[in-house]
Structure formats: structure tokens, C-alpha cells
């Protein structure tokens, strides 16, 4: 039995999930989304990644970035290694893709601020 707090909505239901004979049973959920969350957490937990990327611009030495969709939890450190390798040499703004399909995971690493693009 694994106990977890559902993060799908603000209710924060305390879920108890157990897998028996290939079937996952969930208790404590206030809605169907809690069941889906628990099943996902047990089978293939997914997360989002937010970080920063270095730039060559002294007025803004780093820019904030994130992945465009959730990635498998066990690949976070691999994605972070790829993000750490990037040094932004061109001005970029919100939504600009820095790494397309990072590690073949179907997620792009995108800029989340236009401060660098708008800086004079």
C-alpha cells in the first residue's frame, strides 16, 4: 500500500493505492481524477521541469525555461543535464524553443520570459 497526496486539484486528497493481481485499487479520492493520478504515480510518474539557462548577455545572465509537457520522473536528471549544456547566444522570448524534443521525450525546452528579448 502506498499513501500519497493527490495534486490534481486544490483538495489535496490523501490517497491510498495498492496493486493486487495487476489491478490498482485506490481509496481516499474525492473524484475520478484522484484515481487517474494514483494509477499514473504507480505505473509511470510524470513531472514538469522548470529551470534556467545561461546566456551571454550581462544584463540577464540567465533566462527561465520549462519543458512543454510532463516527462517521466526518472528522466528529470537527464533532462537537466541537457538544459545545463545550453548557453543562449541569441535573444529569445516567451515560447521560443531552445531544445526541441529533448532526449526524444516529446517535450521541448522553452523560454518562459520575454525580458531578454525586450531588453535594450
Amino acid at each position: 500500500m502506498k499513501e500519497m497526496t493527490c495534486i490534481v486539484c486544490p483538495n489535496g486528497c490523501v490517497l491510498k493505492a495498492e496493486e493486487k493481481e495487476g489491478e490498482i485499487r485506490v481509496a481516499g479520492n474525492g473524484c475520478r481524477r484522484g484515481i487517474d493520478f494514483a494509477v499514473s504515480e504507480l505505473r509511470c510518474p510524470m513531472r514538469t521541469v522548470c529551470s534556467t539557462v545561461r546566456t551571454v548577455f550581462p544584463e540577464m545572465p540567465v533566462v527561465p525555461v520549462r519543458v512543454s509537457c510532463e516527462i517521466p520522473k526518472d528522466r528529470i536528471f537527464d533532462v537537466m543535464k541537457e538544459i545545463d549544456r545550453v548557453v543562449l547566444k541569441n535573444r529569445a522570448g516567451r515560447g521560443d524553443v531552445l531544445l526541441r524534443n529533448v532526449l526524444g521525450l516529446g517535450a521541448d525546452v522553452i523560454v518562459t520570459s520575454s525580458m531578454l528579448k525586450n531588453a535594450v
Side-chain angles (χ1 to χ4, degrees):
M1 170 108 29
K2 183 171 181 180
E3 189 172 295
M4 63 190 83
T5 302
C6 182
I7 60 172
V8 177
C9 75
N11 290 333
C13 297
V14 177
L15 308 175
K16 292 182 181 181
E18 184 173 29
E19 186 166 5
K20 283 188 179 178
E21 300 173 8
E23 186 178 329
I24 297 176
R25 296 184 186 270
V26 180
N29 57 296
C31 67
R32 172 76 193 164
R33 293 184 303 167
I35 295 171
D36 295 339
F37 172 78
V39 169
S40 173
E41 279 297 291
L42 290 179
R43 294 212 169 126
C44 182
M46 303 291 280
R47 297 292 184 271
T48 190
V49 172
C50 298
S51 187
T52 56
V53 166
R54 291 173 288 151
T55 80
V56 296
F57 303 100
E59 70 274 18
M60 191 164 201
V62 295
V63 294
V65 297
R66 68 173 174 85
V67 290
S68 60
C69 61
E70 291 183 329
I71 62 167
K73 182 180 175 183
D74 63 353
R75 299 299 306 272
I76 290 174
F77 290 108
D78 298 329
V79 170
M80 284 303 303
K81 284 178 188 174
E82 294 300 309
I83 290 172
D84 287 343
R85 290 184 179 137
V86 175
V87 176
L88 188 60
K89 296 177 182 168
N90 298 313
R91 294 193 178 272
R94 181 178 297 152
D96 289 347
V97 176
L98 298 184
L99 293 172
R100 191 166 304 282
N101 192 22
V102 65
L103 300 174
L105 297 172
D108 297 333
V109 175
I110 59 173
V111 177
T112 61
S113 169
S114 290
M115 289 177 63
L116 181 61
K117 195 170 199 170
N118 297 333
V120 180

